[in-house]
Amino acid sequence: MNRPRVIVNCAMSVDGKIALPTRKQLRISSDEDIKRMYKLRHESDAVLVGIETILSDNPKLTVKEKYIDNPKQPIRIILDSNCRTPEDALAVNNAAKTIIITSKKCNKKYNDNVEIIECETDDENQIDLNYLLELLYNLKIKNLMVEGGSTIIWSFLNKRLVDDLYLYMAPIIIGGANTPTMADGKGIKDIDELITLEIIEVRKLGPGILFHFKMIK
Ligand SMILES: NC(=O)c1ccc[n+]([C@@H]2O[C@H](COP(=O)([O-])OP(=O)(O)OC[C@H]3O[C@@H](n4cnc5c(N)ncnc54)[C@H](OP(=O)(O)O)[C@@H]3O)[C@@H](O)[C@H]2O)c1
């Protein structure tokens, strides 16, 4: 199958949490990591998030000039089966092109920079990621940055569709049994389904640590 290179990027606390217990966003990355994250966005053809990240964080998903000179804005992709993306969400503003991936007809009215693509679903009734990646490849998206949240990252890892994983660990603890972690979803059923990674690099970045993993398929 022809598909883009998939790079997952995520910032977590020492206890593996990626948001507040209320699921609201908090700043986990340091300035140094934010700069690295923007560079990765700038170098990617597209950035992808799930609908719950749009609803909880309302991110713009663009590259800020403050961090990158002459930024190139990647296409923003939202996995949103039921077309819940609000018409005034920042990720569908005029700053860049956005593709909303749904599994049914969408009657919302977005601006002209927004394209809605209906996609096949898998046996769990979610957007079929294999189908999606082939579709994105045919749209000339060769480098895809997946930014979250936990359910989306789990799905990409579980389907073994991740090439690189960049994980910034900040020296903070958030706690909370139901606080989102880097990979939630259903989790593996048995030990033979373990997802294994190879460590490529570990380095200190500002006050935290940056891990670069590759997935062992
Ligand atoms: N620290 C970080 O780096 C970081 C980055 C991003 C987000 N976050 C945090 O992550 C949390 C949101 O994560 P979340 O797990 O609640 O939601 P999410 O991963 O953002 O979105 C999940 C939703 O995406 C849709 N979806 C469509 N196709 C899917 C597929 N194949 N696999 C999985 N989901 C699919 C589903 O909704 P439909 O069925 O309606 O389509 C699903 O419920 C927030 O608290 C946010 O702050 C943290």
Side-chain angles (χ1 to χ4, degrees):
M1 175 186 89
N2 280 332
R3 67 161 179 85
R5 174 175 168 226
V6 174
I7 303 151
V8 171
N9 188 76
C10 187
M12 66 171 199
S13 59
V14 170
D15 52 338
K17 314 293 187 187
I18 65 164
L20 290 169
T22 56
R23 305 189 87 79
K24 287 280 164 221
Q25 189 179 29
L26 82 158
R27 184 174 154 159
I28 295 175
S29 289
S30 61
D31 277 349
E32 296 84 347
D33 189 54
I34 287 191
K35 187 157 189 209
R36 181 198 61 82
M37 182 276 289
Y38 278 123
K39 185 163 179 287
L40 206 51
R41 266 191 197 168
H42 167 78
E43 291 165 352
S44 301
D45 299 312
V47 295
L48 181 149
V49 296
I51 176 61
E52 296 299 341
T53 295
I54 296 295
L55 296 177
S56 66
D57 302 353
N58 195 17
K60 279 203 201 79
L61 300 173
T62 49
V63 184
K64 279 198 187 142
E65 278 188 39
K66 182 181 156 195
Y67 292 97
I68 303 285
D69 293 337
N70 303 317
K72 180 183 74 59
Q73 299 301 343
I75 297 174
R76 302 172 290 191
I77 298 172
I78 306 170
L79 297 199
D80 178 13
S81 319
N82 302 298
C83 204
R84 290 186 285 146
T85 302
E87 281 144 335
D88 60 353
L90 293 175
V92 291
N93 67 11
N94 274 315
K97 183 179 164 63
T98 302
I99 302 177
I100 301 178
I101 307 289
T102 65
S103 62
K104 53 178 71 146
K105 200 167 158 22
C106 177
N107 293 319
K108 288 213 172 84
K109 292 267 170 286
Y110 299 102
N111 69 52
D112 291 348
N113 283 325
V114 181
E115 187 179 354
I116 298 164
I117 300 184
E118 263 183 72
C119 190
E120 290 191 1
T121 52
D122 59 20
D123 47 10
E124 292 182 7
N125 216 19
Q126 288 186 314
I127 305 291
D128 184 326
L129 297 185
N130 282 296
Y131 181 94
L132 171 74
L133 288 184
E134 195 156 5
L135 187 150
L136 296 181
Y137 186 87
N138 291 332
L139 293 176
K140 302 201 165 28
I141 294 171
K142 303 290 187 284
N143 288 294
L144 174 68
M145 179 176 175
V146 174
E147 296 204 30
S150 11
T151 314
I152 291 291
I153 294 179
W154 164 255
S155 287
F156 274 90
L157 288 167
N158 188 37
K159 295 264 156 73
R160 271 60 179 175
L161 290 171
V162 175
D163 297 295
D164 294 273
L165 168 61
Y166 289 94
L167 196 53
Y168 177 77
M169 189 176 81
I172 54 170
I173 309 276
I174 297 173
N178 297 317
T179 310
T181 71
M182 192 206 76
D184 288 346
K186 288 190 177 152
I188 59 167
K189 287 188 220 74
D190 215 331
I191 197 159
D192 60 359
E193 292 177 10
L194 265 181
I195 298 163
T196 44
L197 306 170
E198 180 190 355
I199 299 172
I200 303 299
E201 192 188 6
V202 180
R203 69 179 159 104
K204 190 155 189 298
L205 184 62
I209 295 175
L210 180 70
F211 296 89
H212 175 197
F213 300 99
K214 279 199 181 285
M215 187 170 217
I216 301 175
K217 289 166 192 162

